[in-house]
mmCIF file of all heavy atoms in Angstrom:
data_model
loop_
_atom_site.group_PDB
_atom_site.id
_atom_site.type_symbol
_atom_site.label_atom_id
_atom_site.label_comp_id
_atom_site.label_asym_id
_atom_site.label_seq_id
_atom_site.Cartn_x
_atom_site.Cartn_y
_atom_site.Cartn_z
ATOM 1 N N LYS A 35 101.481 110.306 99.684
ATOM 2 C CA LYS A 35 101.122 110.276 98.280
ATOM 3 C C LYS A 35 99.752 111.004 97.972
ATOM 4 O O LYS A 35 98.895 111.258 98.908
ATOM 5 C CB LYS A 35 101.081 108.788 97.827
ATOM 6 C CG LYS A 35 102.515 108.265 97.864
ATOM 7 C CD LYS A 35 102.646 106.804 97.395
ATOM 8 C CE LYS A 35 104.096 106.288 97.386
ATOM 9 N NZ LYS A 35 104.241 104.990 96.875
ATOM 10 N N LYS A 61 111.866 120.010 107.149
ATOM 11 C CA LYS A 61 111.355 120.643 105.995
ATOM 12 C C LYS A 61 110.094 120.034 105.567
ATOM 13 O O LYS A 61 109.807 118.852 105.754
ATOM 14 C CB LYS A 61 112.342 120.586 104.827
ATOM 15 C CG LYS A 61 113.697 121.316 104.875
ATOM 16 C CD LYS A 61 113.453 122.724 104.799
ATOM 17 C CE LYS A 61 114.861 123.439 104.950
ATOM 18 N NZ LYS A 61 114.731 124.856 104.843
ATOM 19 N N ALA A 73 110.606 110.769 87.563
ATOM 20 C CA ALA A 73 111.547 109.967 86.852
ATOM 21 C C ALA A 73 112.968 109.938 87.589
ATOM 22 O O ALA A 73 113.599 108.823 87.710
ATOM 23 C CB ALA A 73 111.810 110.519 85.407
ATOM 24 N N PHE A 75 113.403 110.442 90.842
ATOM 25 C CA PHE A 75 113.235 109.798 92.034
ATOM 26 C C PHE A 75 113.090 108.314 91.979
ATOM 27 O O PHE A 75 113.685 107.530 92.835
ATOM 28 C CB PHE A 75 111.971 110.362 92.687
ATOM 29 C CG PHE A 75 111.693 110.046 94.179
ATOM 30 C CD1 PHE A 75 112.482 110.734 95.137
ATOM 31 C CD2 PHE A 75 110.872 109.074 94.534
ATOM 32 C CE1 PHE A 75 112.367 110.337 96.470
ATOM 33 C CE2 PHE A 75 110.732 108.711 95.859
ATOM 34 C CZ PHE A 75 111.380 109.398 96.869
ATOM 35 N N ARG A 87 102.941 103.365 85.525
ATOM 36 C CA ARG A 87 101.758 103.553 86.419
ATOM 37 C C ARG A 87 102.133 104.292 87.624
ATOM 38 O O ARG A 87 101.505 105.161 88.173
ATOM 39 C CB ARG A 87 101.298 102.187 86.837
ATOM 40 C CG ARG A 87 100.012 102.209 87.677
ATOM 41 C CD ARG A 87 99.410 100.802 88.001
ATOM 42 N NE ARG A 87 100.370 99.995 88.685
ATOM 43 C CZ ARG A 87 100.679 98.774 88.312
ATOM 44 N NH1 ARG A 87 100.143 98.197 87.263
ATOM 45 N NH2 ARG A 87 101.518 98.062 89.076
ATOM 46 N N ILE A 89 104.802 106.514 87.960
ATOM 47 C CA ILE A 89 105.073 107.868 87.585
ATOM 48 C C ILE A 89 103.769 108.656 87.412
ATOM 49 O O ILE A 89 103.586 109.743 87.932
ATOM 50 C CB ILE A 89 105.942 107.943 86.318
ATOM 51 C CG1 ILE A 89 107.305 107.276 86.532
ATOM 52 C CG2 ILE A 89 106.169 109.371 85.795
ATOM 53 C CD1 ILE A 89 108.207 107.907 87.689
ATOM 54 N N THR A 110 112.512 103.667 111.938
ATOM 55 C CA THR A 110 111.227 103.955 112.646
ATOM 56 C C THR A 110 110.105 104.329 111.590
ATOM 57 O O THR A 110 109.021 103.834 111.728
ATOM 58 C CB THR A 110 111.427 105.124 113.666
ATOM 59 O OG1 THR A 110 112.457 104.678 114.568
ATOM 60 C CG2 THR A 110 110.162 105.328 114.422
ATOM 61 N N THR A 130 99.735 99.548 110.689
ATOM 62 C CA THR A 130 100.640 100.496 109.912
ATOM 63 C C THR A 130 99.860 101.406 109.111
ATOM 64 O O THR A 130 98.691 101.168 108.722
ATOM 65 C CB THR A 130 101.729 99.678 109.165
ATOM 66 O OG1 THR A 130 101.041 98.899 108.163
ATOM 67 C CG2 THR A 130 102.482 98.845 110.066
ATOM 68 N N SER A 152 120.140 106.708 100.276
ATOM 69 C CA SER A 152 118.929 107.009 99.698
ATOM 70 C C SER A 152 118.255 108.286 100.178
ATOM 71 O O SER A 152 117.817 109.167 99.407
ATOM 72 C CB SER A 152 117.867 105.854 99.743
ATOM 73 O OG SER A 152 118.317 104.731 99.046
ATOM 74 N N ILE A 170 123.518 119.912 110.045
ATOM 75 C CA ILE A 170 124.188 119.151 111.143
ATOM 76 C C ILE A 170 124.967 120.131 112.040
ATOM 77 O O ILE A 170 124.822 120.040 113.302
ATOM 78 C CB ILE A 170 125.212 118.051 110.590
ATOM 79 C CG1 ILE A 170 124.453 116.916 110.052
ATOM 80 C CG2 ILE A 170 126.211 117.666 111.629
ATOM 81 C CD1 ILE A 170 123.704 116.092 111.099
ATOM 82 N N GLU A 172 124.570 123.640 112.202
ATOM 83 C CA GLU A 172 123.857 124.848 112.708
ATOM 84 C C GLU A 172 122.468 124.507 113.334
ATOM 85 O O GLU A 172 122.085 125.263 114.208
ATOM 86 C CB GLU A 172 123.649 125.855 111.482
ATOM 87 C CG GLU A 172 124.981 126.414 110.970
ATOM 88 C CD GLU A 172 124.624 127.453 109.864
ATOM 89 O OE1 GLU A 172 123.486 127.729 109.577
ATOM 90 O OE2 GLU A 172 125.660 127.854 109.231
ATOM 91 N N LYS A 181 115.335 122.065 121.599
ATOM 92 C CA LYS A 181 115.173 123.462 121.541
ATOM 93 C C LYS A 181 114.597 123.878 120.102
ATOM 94 O O LYS A 181 115.217 124.534 119.322
ATOM 95 C CB LYS A 181 116.445 124.187 121.782
ATOM 96 C CG LYS A 181 116.984 123.970 123.237
ATOM 97 C CD LYS A 181 118.340 124.610 123.403
ATOM 98 C CE LYS A 181 118.766 124.344 124.876
ATOM 99 N NZ LYS A 181 120.163 124.897 125.046
ATOM 100 N N ASN A 188 102.479 125.332 109.344
ATOM 101 C CA ASN A 188 103.310 124.974 108.290
ATOM 102 C C ASN A 188 103.802 123.618 108.384
ATOM 103 O O ASN A 188 104.648 123.197 107.525
ATOM 104 C CB ASN A 188 104.431 126.002 108.188
ATOM 105 C CG ASN A 188 103.889 127.337 107.695
ATOM 106 O OD1 ASN A 188 103.270 127.439 106.754
ATOM 107 N ND2 ASN A 188 104.097 128.344 108.612
#
Side-chain angles (χ1 to χ4, degrees):
K35 295 182 178 183
K61 294 282 183 186
F75 193 77
R87 181 175 63 228
I89 298 299
T110 304
T130 61
S152 291
I170 284 293
E172 295 181 7
K181 293 179 181 172
N188 293 303

